[in-house]
C-alpha cells in the first residue's frame, strides 16, 4: 500500500493494481485491471461503454444548436478508441433523417482529434442507442464521414504507430501527424499549432 497526493489530497493505492484508475470502458468482467485484450484486434464487448456513451449524449443534449456552438472530441489512447465509437455515432447521426432518433445529439460533433489510439473492436450492444446495428459495426468499407486528426508517435511501444494508422484509415478523409515520440503527448509548439489549425479549419 502506498500513499500519493492527487490534487493536493492523499490517496492510498495498492501497488500492482488499478483500483483508482479511471477508464471509459473495461475489457474484462472479472478483472478491472486486465487490459491484455486491448490490442488483440479481436471483436469483444467493452464493459461499461454504454454508460460512457450515455454521459456524452447527455452533455451534447445540453448544448444549443446555434451557429456559435462548436463541438469537437479529443481522446488519448483508450480515450481515442472511445472517440472512434463516438465518431461512428456522429457520422451516422449527421446523415439521419429521423427527428426522434437517439443519434441526433451526436450529430453536433463536428470533428475528432485522436492521439495514440487503436481501432474499436467492440461488438456488443449499445443499449441506449436504438439504431445500434447501423451506427456501430466493423464494416471496413463503411468509412466514417467526420473530419479527423490522428496523432501518433513513431517510438510508441504501448500503442504502436500501425494501430493509429489503422484507426485513421477508418475515416473518409483523415489528417495525420507523427510527433516521433512515444506513448505521450509532447508539449511542443509545433503540435499545439497543428491541433489549433485543424480545429480552426473545422469551425470555419
Amino acid at each position: 500500500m502506498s500513499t500519493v497526493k492527487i490534487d493536493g489530497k492523499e490517496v492510498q493505492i495498492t501497488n500492482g493494481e488499478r483500483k483508482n484508475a479511471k477508464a471509459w470502458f473495461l475489457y474484462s468482467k472479472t478483472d478491472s485491471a486486465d487490459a491484455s485484450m486491448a490490442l488483440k484486434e479481436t471483436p469483444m464487448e467493452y464493459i461499461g461503454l454504454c454508460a460512457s456513451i450515455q454521459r456524452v449524449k447527455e452533455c451534447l443534449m445540453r448544448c444549443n444548436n446555434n451557429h456559435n456552438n462548436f463541438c469537437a472530441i479529443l481522446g488519448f489512447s483508450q480515450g481515442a478508441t472511445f472517440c472512434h465509437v463516438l465518431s461512428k455515432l456522429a457520422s451516422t447521426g449527421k446523415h439521419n433523417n429521423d427527428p426522434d432518433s437517439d443519434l441526433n445529439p451526436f450529430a453536433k460533433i463536428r470533428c475528432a482529434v485522436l492521439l495514440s489510439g487503436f481501432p474499436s473492436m467492440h461488438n456488443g450492444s449499445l443499449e441506449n442507442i436504438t439504431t445500434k446495428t447501423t451506427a456501430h459495426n466493423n464494416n471496413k468499407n463503411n468509412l466514417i464521414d467526420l473530419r479527423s486528426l490522428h496523432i501518433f508517435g513513431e517510438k510508441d511501444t504501448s500503442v504502436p504507430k500501425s494501430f493509429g494508422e489503422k484507426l485513421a484509415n477508418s475515416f473518409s478523409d483523415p489528417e495525420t501527424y507523427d510527433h516521433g515520440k512515444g506513448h505521450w503527448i509532447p508539449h511542443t509548439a509545433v503540435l499545439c499549432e497543428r491541433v489549433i489549425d485543424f480545429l480552426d479549419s473545422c469551425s470555419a
Side-chain angles (χ1 to χ4, degrees):
M1 185 78 71
S2 301
T3 301
V4 298
K5 281 191 174 182
I6 301 177
D7 294 335
K9 298 181 181 179
E10 291 190 348
V11 178
Q12 287 190 331
I13 61 173
T14 301
N15 296 332
E17 297 185 8
R18 302 177 63 191
K19 289 186 177 180
N20 296 301
K22 294 189 181 299
W24 292 107
F25 51 83
L26 303 177
Y27 304 98
S28 171
K29 293 182 179 180
T30 57
D31 184 359
S32 61
D34 183 7
S36 61
M37 294 296 293
L39 301 179
K40 295 294 186 181
E41 297 188 278
T42 301
M44 62 182 299
E45 179 183 358
Y46 290 163
I47 312 302
L49 179 63
C50 289
S52 293
I53 291 175
Q54 183 64 26
R55 173 165 289 194
V56 173
K57 178 183 175 183
E58 291 170 356
C59 180
L60 291 169
M61 291 175 68
R62 292 194 294 269
C63 296
N64 294 325
N65 271 325
N66 63 58
H67 179 70
N68 294 324
N69 280 337
F70 173 72
C71 178
I73 53 177
L74 181 149
F76 171 76
S77 196
Q78 189 200 63
T81 302
F82 180 46
C83 284
H84 184 204
V85 176
L86 295 175
S87 295
K88 289 187 175 185
L89 296 174
S91 177
T92 306
K94 183 169 68 171
H95 298 288
N96 175 64
N97 296 318
D98 181 0
D100 298 320
S101 171
D102 288 335
L103 290 170
N104 289 341
F106 299 99
K108 297 177 182 180
I109 298 173
R110 300 269 294 278
C111 63
V113 180
L114 304 98
L115 304 101
S116 301
F118 48 95
S120 167
M121 296 304 297
H122 175 71
N123 68 343
S125 67
L126 299 182
E127 58 194 25
N128 53 331
I129 303 297
T130 57
T131 52
K132 51 183 175 290
T133 303
T134 302
H136 187 85
N137 56 61
N138 290 314
N139 181 1
K140 296 181 180 180
N141 295 321
N142 186 19
L143 298 179
I144 299 171
D145 183 18
L146 187 74
R147 292 283 304 278
S148 62
L149 172 62
H150 304 261
I151 300 170
F152 35 70
E154 182 70 39
K155 298 179 181 178
D156 193 335
T157 56
S158 296
V159 179
K161 176 182 174 180
S162 60
F163 284 88
E165 292 174 329
K166 287 181 181 179
L167 178 54
N169 289 334
S170 67
F171 288 74
S172 60
D173 189 24
E175 299 180 32
T176 61
Y177 178 81
D178 184 347
H179 55 65
K181 305 294 184 181
H183 194 64
W184 56 294
I185 305 173
H187 297 170
T188 64
V190 174
L191 178 57
C192 289
E193 289 175 3
R194 184 70 182 83
V195 174
I196 291 172
D197 288 344
F198 171 74
L199 293 175
D200 283 344
S201 69
C202 293
S203 62

